[in-house]
Amino acid sequence: MKFKYIISSIILVLSLFSCDYLDIVPTETANDKDAFKDSEAARRYLYSCYSYLPNPRHQTASIDMFTADEVVTAFEHETFANFPKGNYTASNPVISYWNTLFQGIRQCYLLLENIDAVPLMDEKDKQEYKAEATFLIAYYHYILVKNYGPTILIKESFAVNTPAENYPARSPYDECVQWVADKFDEAIALGLPNEQEETSFGRATKPAALAIKARMFLYAASPQFNGGSVYYSDPDADDISGALAQVKNADGTPLMNTTYDASKWQKAADAAKTAIDAAEDNGIRLFQEGDAAATLAEPSNSVEKTLRMTITDRHTPEIIWADTRPENYYSLQRKSTPFNQTNGGSWNGVAPTLTMIKSFYTKNGLPIDEDPSYDLENAFEYSNQTDLTHGSGNTLNLNMEREPRFYAWIAYHNSYYELYAYTNDPGVTADNRNRMLVSFRKDDNCGVKTRTNNYAPSGYLNKKGVHPSFSRATGGSIINYSWPIIRLGELYLDYAEALIEVGGASNLEKAKEYIDRIRTRAGIPTIDEAWAATGATLDQAKMRQIVRQERTIELYLENQRFWDVRRWLLGTKYFNVKAQGMDYSQSTDAGFFNVVDVNFTRVFRTPQHYLMPIPIGDIEKNQFLVQNPGY
């Protein structure tokens, strides 16, 4: 795998949205002679097919970025915040991919119908364009299935004047999954490359197709789509099987299979292993110690530096497929960094919840309530930090003796935030401008003071996804990097989860091996080493708990938790409760170090919110289209 430079990604994205190509791409049909008049026009048309990709880190309109229980933000007025509040309906879906992705699918089919007629175009390029358009048809359907469950399968280009009596209905969920998988395989057979050239980074590849297919099979095997909670021994899981059984087309065709099928887990495991092999054969590997630039002064701990840079390093070898669009002014990095009163650019408002804080392991690689050496009884008392590696001054005992990922990705009261700061910033010493001691009491440098926005509602601040070279001194200078749509670390955990659910001693051992690859990179003991201190039996139920917690930690704030909680049927447990944190309104330690509810509404309705609503306008137009439960 070539290490791609972000500038090439930016060039690609700019070309996607530049006015010149929009001027020549027709909106409804490809009959316009200019759309495929030569190879350059065809290239621009291909790029227009990519323009329908949802932006996973869009500052206000990402459906799964800030919308789970990982963080609570000071930006409850923005579009995304309607999802944790439960404010989305069929008449106002807020963020909906239903219409836009069908437009993108149609555009891809138009390319397939017209690409062969492009004069003087290299045949190899034509074949690759066909492969990429087919990949996008599969991927857009995958997003529809992920959001809405059973969807309409668009198997050819429909005429814009198709009569209403010929409108298609939704296809059963399992049929959708298999059709999308077959379409990914078709894209590979058409010649998807193993990797893209530097100037085409972000376009489809064979490893990306296999990885997304594997993730889709994992979702399809999960409780939400595989029999429901009655087949799993989790008392916290919601039972939605009755509601799903009622999802039928107008002709009575059931759209959801409510019978458990164990073979789906084996299918998911096999697909994940195939995807892992393809990725590793093409040089994709975990980001490891020594990969981060030696010139980075902070974090000074090499493990924490590796973890901080796993997704923010421009040349990371771990990403299988990336979104290459650059961040804008109100981005993840600006929203996560300590408030900058001097010249703006840092909005201080992406705050990890207490649920997320407690999810991270202890330094021994164990949950805080399982580590016999961890003082859980006094975790919510506060004391002076004696180990000055990560900060100084009083802090909650819960923040001490934790694993490296906690310190790499979480800023807590009186801890260091690694970025480039002003020399006169509160919390910055003259000899080290590369870190800032942050504090979250009302009148502290990251406190709310008299503001009504730009504060950390939980008394913590996110560091994941923020490059340590982010500069406050230039008004919040973003270091751009590509955002992982899927990376190898996730595939390892996908594979491990599927193996655990298949069960059997050999599969549990193999699952440990792949989880341990993540744990070793994270600087914590292996599963066997860690749990030996607890005396726990590492059976299927225990390993299920371990892999789910590992996903929660490793994939924190990477667009996964929103979907994981749903597919595990744990929406009520995690999404129907208010977030908790420290009392940021207090000016003293005694006041601040108290667990309080964050006063933002959190609503998850079962079964309604397990799937997204199909817009009511489409339901009314198409007599064959049925709505999801609860809308």
Side-chain angles (χ1 to χ4, degrees):
M1 174 186 178
K2 296 185 178 77
F3 293 162
K4 318 298 197 294
Y5 288 89
I6 193 70
I7 188 65
S8 64
S9 305
I10 297 172
I11 291 171
L12 170 60
V13 173
L14 290 177
S15 69
L16 286 177
F17 293 96
S18 61
C19 293
D20 58 342
Y21 101 81
L22 289 174
D23 291 339
I24 69 166
V25 175
T27 56
E28 294 293 343
T29 175
N31 291 332
D32 189 315
K33 63 180 181 180
D34 286 337
F36 294 95
K37 66 180 181 179
D38 55 32
S39 58
E40 177 61 18
R43 181 183 68 85
R44 293 178 179 178
Y45 194 95
L46 172 67
Y47 286 178
S48 77
C49 292
Y50 279 92
S51 69
Y52 294 90
L53 288 169
N55 188 338
R57 60 172 167 180
H58 190 277
Q59 67 279 7
T60 63
S62 171
I63 198 171
D64 50 19
M65 183 69 170
F66 301 138
T67 50
D69 61 342
E70 301 159 296
V71 296
V72 61
T73 79
F75 316 112
E76 289 283 297
H77 58 286
E78 295 182 352
T79 304
F80 72 83
N82 285 285
F83 285 87
K85 288 187 283 194
N87 292 340
Y88 52 101
T89 64
S91 58
N92 182 25
V94 184
I95 298 172
S96 177
Y97 302 126
W98 187 263
N99 290 23
T100 57
L101 291 186
F102 285 123
Q103 294 169 15
I105 289 166
R106 174 175 169 75
Q107 189 131 320
C108 293
Y109 275 117
L110 292 175
L111 182 145
L112 292 174
E113 292 170 2
N114 289 275
I115 193 67
D116 283 331
V118 178
L120 304 177
M121 184 175 178
D122 186 270
E123 291 299 321
K124 181 178 178 295
D125 289 341
K126 288 182 180 179
Q127 194 67 17
E128 186 171 332
Y129 284 20
K130 290 178 184 178
E132 290 185 54
T134 302
F135 170 93
L136 289 172
I137 290 169
Y139 186 70
Y140 292 152
H141 277 92
Y142 153 78
I143 296 175
L144 289 167
V145 171
K146 184 169 71 169
N147 280 267
Y148 306 101
T151 189
I152 295 172
L153 295 178
I154 306 300
K155 301 180 180 180
E156 60 184 355
S157 176
F158 280 83
V160 293
N161 59 351
T162 298
E165 60 267 23
N166 293 335
Y167 285 174
R170 299 167 78 182
S171 295
Y173 178 83
D174 289 342
E175 180 184 329
C176 291
V177 169
Q178 191 56 54
W179 187 88
V180 173
D182 291 343
K183 191 59 69 173
F184 277 126
D185 290 341
E186 181 184 341
I188 292 170
L190 283 168
L192 275 182
N194 287 319
E195 62 175 342
Q196 290 283 359
E197 295 297 323
E198 249 179 45
T199 54
S200 297
F201 185 45
R203 287 166 59 180
T205 63
K206 177 181 176 180
L210 292 171
I212 298 297
K213 183 176 76 168
R215 181 199 281 168
M216 180 180 64
F217 280 150
L218 181 76
Y219 284 22
S222 298
Q224 182 184 7
F225 299 111
N226 191 13
S229 62
V230 294
Y231 294 94
Y232 297 84
S233 57
D234 190 339
D236 294 319
D238 295 323
D239 182 6
I240 63 171
S241 55
L244 295 182
Q246 299 305 311
V247 183
K248 300 178 181 179
N249 276 337
D251 63 1
T253 302
L255 296 180
M256 300 291 289
N257 184 355
T258 56
T259 302
Y260 178 70
D261 182 355
S263 70
K264 289 183 178 181
W265 286 113
Q266 186 63 59
K267 193 173 188 178
D270 292 344
K273 185 59 167 65
T274 298
I276 289 168
D277 290 344
E280 292 178 339
D281 287 347
N282 285 282
I284 296 168
R285 61 174 177 81
L286 292 185
F287 192 83
Q288 299 284 11
E289 282 191 72
D291 287 337
T295 53
L296 276 177
E298 298 288 347
S300 57
N301 179 284
S302 62
V303 174
E304 291 167 23
K305 180 186 293 185
T306 299
L307 295 166
R308 182 76 174 271
M309 297 302 295
T310 294
I311 64 172
T312 58
D313 192 290
R314 293 176 177 180
H315 316 304
T316 178
E318 187 164 337
I319 294 180
I320 297 172
W321 191 35
D323 188 291
T324 60
R325 283 167 283 198
E327 292 187 67
N328 71 6
Y329 194 70
Y330 294 101
S331 65
L332 169 66
Q333 295 190 70
R334 289 182 185 274
K335 283 182 171 180
S336 295
T337 41
F339 186 69
N340 189 339
Q341 196 162 1
T342 303
N343 58 11
S346 295
W347 311 124
N348 194 50
V350 179
T353 63
L354 193 59
T355 294
M356 191 65 229
I357 297 304
K358 292 190 291 186
S359 294
F360 285 94
Y361 291 133
T362 69
K363 67 178 183 180
N364 299 313
L366 288 167
I368 59 172
D369 59 353
E370 294 187 48
D371 189 337
S373 68
Y374 189 75
D375 186 8
L376 184 61
E377 183 179 351
N378 294 303
F380 291 92
E381 303 296 326
Y382 63 92
S383 60
N384 189 48
Q385 298 175 78
T386 56
D387 179 354
L388 304 183
T389 305
H390 301 110
S392 65
N394 285 345
T395 199
L396 200 67
N397 292 339
L398 182 69
N399 303 328
M400 295 188 251
E401 306 293 317
R402 305 301 295 275
E403 63 159 306
R405 285 176 294 193
F406 177 82
Y407 297 111
W409 299 336
I410 305 295
Y412 57 88
H413 184 71
N414 282 335
S415 71
Y416 292 120
Y417 201 122
E418 300 83 7
L419 43 60
Y420 191 65
Y422 296 101
T423 52
N424 61 346
D425 262 332
V428 175
T429 57
D431 63 334
N432 190 351
R433 294 179 62 184
N434 296 296
R435 68 183 189 184
M436 176 180 179
L437 190 71
V438 292
S439 305
F440 297 96
R441 295 172 306 182
K442 180 181 178 181
D443 299 314
D444 290 338
N445 59 359
C446 289
V448 63
K449 298 184 179 178
T450 59
R451 299 189 302 273
T452 57
N453 58 12
N454 302 332
Y455 66 96
S458 70
Y460 289 86
L461 199 56
N462 170 64
K463 294 195 290 186
K464 191 173 188 182
V466 178
H467 197 287
S469 295
F470 179 98
S471 177
R472 288 166 56 80
T474 53
S477 178
I478 292 172
I479 308 297
N480 272 304
Y481 60 90
S482 296
W483 186 257
I485 295 175
I486 192 164
R487 61 182 174 94
L488 188 61
E490 182 201 331
L491 266 188
Y492 285 170
L493 296 175
D494 291 351
Y495 183 42
E497 182 176 352
L499 287 173
I500 289 165
E501 296 299 345
V502 172
S506 62
N507 285 324
L508 295 184
E509 288 302 312
K510 180 63 70 173
K512 288 179 191 176
E513 175 190 332
Y514 279 83
I515 298 171
D516 283 342
R517 294 184 185 189
I518 300 296
R519 292 173 64 90
T520 299
R521 194 257 300 272
I524 55 177
T526 66
I527 291 172
D528 283 337
E529 291 169 344
W531 266 270
T534 72
T537 300
L538 298 176
D539 56 11
Q540 184 186 45
K542 188 62 182 177
M543 288 297 296
R544 180 184 296 129
Q545 174 193 326
I546 290 170
V547 75
R548 288 182 177 186
Q549 186 159 355
E550 197 68 51
R551 283 185 72 90
T552 299
I553 299 167
E554 178 66 22
L555 301 178
Y556 158 66
L557 219 57
E558 289 188 45
N559 312 94
Q560 300 301 316
R561 178 78 172 165
F562 182 88
W563 306 108
D564 281 347
V565 168
R566 281 172 165 80
R567 67 184 179 86
W568 295 331
L569 294 177
L570 297 174
T572 300
K573 178 180 180 179
Y574 291 112
F575 293 168
N576 199 44
V577 294
K578 285 186 175 181
Q580 291 186 318
M582 300 294 99
D583 191 347
Y584 68 86
S585 69
Q586 300 298 309
S587 301
T588 65
D589 285 352
F592 175 78
F593 290 119
N594 285 292
V595 175
V596 296
D597 287 346
V598 178
N599 195 27
F600 295 149
T601 300
R602 291 294 178 261
V603 173
F604 187 92
R605 301 183 186 93
T606 299
Q608 181 179 352
H609 289 157
Y610 275 101
L611 295 172
M612 298 299 111
I614 297 172
I616 191 64
D618 289 83
I619 297 290
E620 293 172 345
K621 290 177 192 174
N622 184 349
Q623 62 181 313
F624 306 110
L625 192 59
V626 295
Q627 184 59 274
N628 278 328
Y631 294 106

